[in-house]
Amino acid sequence: MNDALAIAQALIRCPSVTPVDAGALGVLEDLLKAHGFTTHRVTFSEAGTHDIDNLYARLGAAAPHITFAGHTDVVPPGDEAAWSHGAFSGEVKDGYLYGRGAVDMKGGIACSVAAVLQYLADNGGKPRADGKGSISFLITGDEEAASINGTVKLLKWVADRGETFDHCVLGEPSNQQVMGDCIKIGRRGSQSGTLIVDGLQGHVAYPQRASNPVPDIARLIVAISDEPLDHGSAQFQPSNLEFVSVDVGNSALNVIPGQARATFNIRYNDLHTQASLRELVETRLANACGNRIKARIVWEPSNSNVFLTKPGAFTDLAVSAIEDVTGRRPELSTTGGTSDARFIASYCPVIEFGLLGQTMHQIDERASVKDIETLTKVYRGILDRYFG
């Protein structure tokens, strides 16, 4: 069970479809406890949400402190009959490990655990010979869903204990085409909202007695989204605002609706804060409405803020380890969706480096056994450099 492939198989065989744990955290807790880690199972709850079990395990009590973060919850498998190998079988076929979570991200967790255990075995069971240094694991079961009772609360729980992190490696699938091509050092923020245009309901044969919000919302959608929000920054691609639905809630063919709604999402870079972004969109709306159109935006709460780990000694260390194992110098990227790194970044510098993301969330999600071996070696190289 010190082997990354065996650990990954054991995790995959736990059908931990969010928010169910199905024993996945127990697999990790038992393994880490057997190798000297102090472990804590911490459950968080909130009204209207599922109770979520989380795991924090630490070896050592001194700085420098590196933590490996991840999540054991997975998305549903979809049509299990469509899988060529069982969605929770952990089967290896033709050099690939199959199963939900093989890529996102039980495989990454398995590699980090295996690398740490191998490192400790070669170094007398301690992070450093002088007794300094700490290694920990932050593992949640609440990443693929609401992300309310997981990493964000576990980080606070650790901080309330007086513990601090110096650096973090998150094993989300970061590589695009081949192992070693990409490290995530930041992510754009995410903000959603609903544009609401009020009209006056009436009969389509008597439009003079009504006010149709449909043409108005069409004009406002263009006014809000047609002009770029920005042109990108030194580390980030341009922000983008995308309308994803338009609805008037009207099934009748002879009724002018009284209201129209359009939902949108913005992925924004470090040229904006959440407040300045909202102000920019609200200003565009006000200018487009003039004194005639009655419209407003209802903003969704968001904890997906933009973050960036600036290139420096820690990213250089990771690049060196990756280049040494793969022969490739990875791109420092900020593309992609959100991850739990957005929470971790408030506590310490964090990078994301994991397996290839090409099959995550798909039928027949799978990870190359060779890539699992490569990622384990990279993590081991990071540890050697970090404590060396």
Side-chain angles (χ1 to χ4, degrees):
M1 275 295 289
N2 290 8
D3 174 73
L5 178 59
I7 298 171
Q9 287 177 303
L11 291 174
I12 290 171
R13 288 166 183 159
C14 299
S16 52
V17 176
T18 190
V20 177
D21 172 63
L25 291 177
V27 169
L28 297 174
E29 182 178 28
D30 292 345
L31 184 57
L32 293 171
K33 189 180 294 186
H35 287 81
F37 281 78
T38 300
T39 64
H40 304 271
R41 291 285 286 273
V42 191
T43 302
F44 299 112
S45 60
E46 191 168 308
T49 67
H50 294 279
D51 291 356
I52 298 294
D53 209 9
N54 302 273
L55 173 66
Y56 176 60
R58 179 170 178 172
L59 180 70
H65 180 186
I66 186 170
T67 189
F68 289 87
H71 64 89
T72 52
D73 63 318
V74 297
V75 298
D79 181 8
E80 293 193 56
W83 287 69
S84 58
H85 305 280
F88 300 104
S89 68
E91 185 174 344
V92 175
K93 182 72 172 179
D94 297 328
Y96 284 88
L97 169 65
Y98 284 80
R100 180 58 84 223
V103 171
D104 188 12
M105 61 165 288
K106 292 179 176 181
I109 292 174
C111 292
S112 64
V113 172
V116 167
L117 297 185
Q118 292 167 15
Y119 172 82
L120 293 173
D122 292 339
N123 288 274
K126 299 178 181 179
R128 289 200 334 194
D130 61 6
K132 295 181 179 180
S134 298
I135 302 172
S136 66
F137 290 89
L138 278 164
I139 311 295
T140 183
D142 185 35
E143 197 272 350
E144 295 291 4
S147 298
I148 293 174
N149 294 318
T151 298
V152 64
K153 290 185 178 179
L154 187 59
L155 286 162
K156 184 179 184 304
W157 182 87
V158 174
D160 288 345
R161 290 166 50 86
E163 299 185 39
T164 58
F165 305 103
D166 292 302
H167 298 92
C168 177
V169 178
L170 177 60
E172 287 281 5
S174 62
N175 289 281
Q176 305 298 307
Q177 302 296 329
V178 65
M179 288 296 296
D181 65 11
C182 183
I183 298 177
K184 302 284 188 183
I185 61 168
R187 300 273 188 159
R188 293 184 299 171
S190 177
Q191 174 66 68
S192 295
T194 300
L195 170 64
I196 302 173
V197 180
D198 293 314
L200 180 63
Q201 184 175 316
H203 197 292
V204 295
Y206 302 94
Q208 69 276 15
R209 300 175 184 173
S211 177
N212 194 336
V214 176
D216 288 337
I217 201 167
R219 296 185 186 97
L220 295 180
I221 288 173
V222 172
I224 290 173
S225 62
D226 205 32
E227 183 182 348
L229 294 170
D230 57 65
H231 297 286
S233 65
Q235 297 291 342
F236 287 90
Q237 65 191 99
S239 304
N240 64 292
L241 185 157
E242 303 295 335
F243 278 91
V244 296
S245 72
V246 182
D247 183 49
V248 295
N250 183 20
S251 59
L253 297 178
N254 61 348
V255 176
I256 292 173
Q259 189 180 84
R261 293 170 170 253
T263 303
F264 61 89
N265 178 263
I266 307 171
R267 296 301 167 104
Y268 63 96
N269 59 33
D270 56 347
L271 295 175
H272 309 272
T273 64
Q274 192 177 89
S276 69
L277 181 75
R278 291 184 177 188
E279 182 180 356
L280 172 60
V281 177
E282 294 273 11
T283 298
R284 288 187 179 184
L285 176 63
N287 291 338
C289 285
N291 296 321
R292 185 184 65 82
I293 303 176
K294 296 178 181 179
R296 63 192 185 278
I297 292 175
V298 176
W299 296 100
E300 295 294 326
S302 174
N303 55 13
S304 300
N305 296 314
V306 61
F307 78 90
L308 176 69
T309 295
K310 293 183 178 179
F314 183 54
T315 56
D316 289 347
L317 177 152
V319 167
S320 175
I322 294 165
E323 195 169 16
D324 185 50
V325 174
T326 69
R328 301 178 184 88
R329 190 169 184 84
E331 173 192 1
L332 302 182
S333 171
T334 58
T335 60
T338 60
S339 73
D340 275 357
R342 68 190 189 274
F343 305 128
I344 300 168
S346 298
Y347 291 81
C348 69
V350 55
I351 61 169
E352 298 178 49
F353 187 77
L355 295 163
L356 294 180
Q358 294 173 342
T359 63
M360 59 181 176
H361 294 202
Q362 295 182 5
I363 299 293
D364 278 348
E365 180 178 350
R366 60 197 179 274
S368 162
V369 173
K370 182 178 179 181
D371 287 350
I372 290 172
E373 295 170 352
T374 296
L375 182 59
T376 304
K377 291 177 182 178
V378 169
Y379 287 157
R380 172 62 191 268
I382 289 175
L383 288 165
D384 286 337
R385 289 162 173 78
Y386 193 80
F387 293 113

